[in-house]
Amino acid sequence: MRAIQITEFGGPEVLTETELPDPVAGPGEVLIDVSRAGLNYADTHQAENSYLSKTELPIVPGGEIAGMTSNGRRVVALTSGGGGYAQRAVAPAATTFDVPEGVDDLTALSLVVQGATAWLLLRRSVNLLEGESVVVHAAAGGVGSIAVQLAKLWGAGRVIATASTDDKRKLALDLGADVAISSTEENMTDALKEANNGRRVDIVLDMAGGSVTDQSLAALAPFGRLAFYGMASREKPSPVDPVKLLGRSTAVIGMWLPHAFRLPGGVVHRAMDELFTLVLEGKLRAVPGGEYGMSEVRRAHEDLRARRTSGKLLLDPNR
């Protein structure tokens, strides 16, 4: 089968198209003929071995796939440790979800990582309450574009989006944000308060890191919460001082999707069920960000790293 393989760590140049044997499903796994794979910013970290979970070489990258099982089920799935950039892949049965009729591959792949992440951030990490203000950084991205929509659906009083270009800010407004500001504001603390009519903000969803995180934390109102779920800038924020959190009655919460599968009660499955329902009811939509063939995968990673993308990116393993 055709696949992308990494045999040494680095940037987009380490992604190499090759022929590999078909994978074999083990106990508790499902073999899937891949129609589309998801391309995520986390994949760029995996390629350089800077992700939360360390990578063993060689590896076929890619953590999410859509396709057909051998018994004719149309599914979307999270793989275990990679394997998605290929014509066939295996995934744990526990992280494989049936795709309802009327939901396309783009939408299914938008929901299984980005949608579930946005759901968990708002429902579980920050516990959004009706009327609260919500800042969504990178609001035109995969998680951000869904988080904007969910925050409005679930009663946010004011949704403040940040994005790097006019087109991305317009997209955020089209998705329901009340205001959209530049992600390159020199003083993000003041910019967020101004965007919230002079008031401090209640919730920040942050995947930027560095000074954006520091300044967003400084913009929180008492009992405000910042949920940190990525570090796209590749810059660490300043250390968090618990005394300052106490003095401001604020909180910082980290969130990594794999941990959610350890929660009792099938939380991720509940999230997926609700997200699929919202899509079928016309209340939630995926934002297409572009599709790449196997020979274009290096360009896809270059586009991700350069923040040139918006919405959901797909890889077609058959072209």
Side-chain angles (χ1 to χ4, degrees):
M1 67 172 185
R2 296 174 69 197
I4 299 296
Q5 189 178 55
I6 298 172
T7 58
E8 60 179 321
F9 293 121
E13 73 282 352
V14 304
L15 300 163
T16 303
E17 185 176 349
T18 188
E19 288 285 332
L20 294 175
D22 288 356
V24 177
E29 293 184 326
V30 180
L31 177 64
I32 299 169
D33 285 323
V34 180
S35 54
R36 297 292 188 277
L39 292 158
N40 292 304
Y41 197 87
D43 299 345
T44 69
H45 284 290
Q46 188 180 50
E48 64 184 16
N49 202 25
S50 61
Y51 199 44
L52 287 175
S53 58
K54 295 306 178 184
T55 303
E56 297 291 333
L57 296 177
I59 187 173
V60 174
E64 57 182 47
I65 52 176
M68 298 288 291
T69 66
S70 58
N71 61 356
R73 292 169 55 204
R74 185 162 166 263
V75 298
V76 64
L78 297 177
T79 65
S80 179
Y85 290 12
Q87 291 179 309
R88 287 167 206 86
V90 296
T95 59
T96 299
F97 308 87
D98 289 297
V99 179
E101 186 176 350
V103 177
D104 59 19
D105 283 353
L106 167 72
T107 303
L109 285 165
S110 295
L111 298 183
V112 74
V113 170
Q114 283 95 348
T117 296
W119 190 99
L120 284 157
L121 286 168
L122 291 167
R123 284 275 199 233
R124 185 98 183 188
S125 297
V126 303
N127 189 24
L128 170 65
L129 301 176
E130 189 170 350
E132 289 188 310
S133 55
V134 179
V135 175
V136 181
H137 286 305
V143 175
S145 61
I146 294 177
V148 166
Q149 296 176 77
L150 292 180
K152 291 300 291 185
L153 282 170
W154 293 341
R158 189 167 178 82
V159 176
I160 301 162
T162 78
S164 59
T165 68
D166 288 340
D167 286 345
K168 290 183 178 182
R169 290 190 285 274
K170 181 179 184 303
L171 172 60
L173 294 171
D174 290 343
L175 292 172
D178 296 289
V179 61
I181 64 176
S182 173
S183 58
T184 60
E185 290 283 352
E186 186 173 343
N187 189 323
M188 183 61 72
T189 302
D190 287 347
L192 293 179
K193 289 189 288 187
E194 182 179 348
N196 198 35
N197 296 321
R199 299 188 299 271
R200 292 179 173 273
V201 299
D202 298 306
I203 290 168
V204 177
L205 306 185
D206 175 32
M207 50 75 70
S211 63
V212 170
T213 304
D214 297 338
Q215 295 183 53
S216 297
L217 182 58
L220 288 178
F223 295 99
R225 292 88 74 201
L226 183 148
F228 187 74
Y229 67 98
M231 200 164 62
S233 68
R234 286 175 162 78
E235 297 176 1
K236 291 184 179 181
S238 300
V240 175
D241 183 350
V243 175
K244 289 184 178 179
L245 297 181
L246 174 66
R248 298 172 180 170
S249 295
T250 53
V252 177
I253 307 108
M255 205 286 281
W256 189 38
L257 182 61
H259 289 149
F261 288 94
R262 305 176 190 175
L263 296 173
V267 171
V268 179
H269 283 265
R270 287 198 287 114
M272 291 297 290
D273 287 344
E274 183 173 359
L275 293 168
F276 279 137
T277 298
L278 289 173
V279 167
L280 292 172
E281 291 175 348
K283 297 177 181 177
L284 180 68
R285 66 182 174 96
V287 176
E291 186 170 294
Y292 301 78
M294 283 286 209
S295 62
E296 302 169 302
V297 71
R298 291 182 180 181
R299 179 166 64 85
H301 275 228
E302 289 168 357
D303 290 343
L304 279 164
R305 291 174 68 109
R307 309 290 293 275
R308 288 192 288 263
T309 66
S310 59
K312 183 62 186 173
L313 305 186
L314 301 183
L315 175 68
D316 182 348
N318 299 303
R319 71 172 180 88

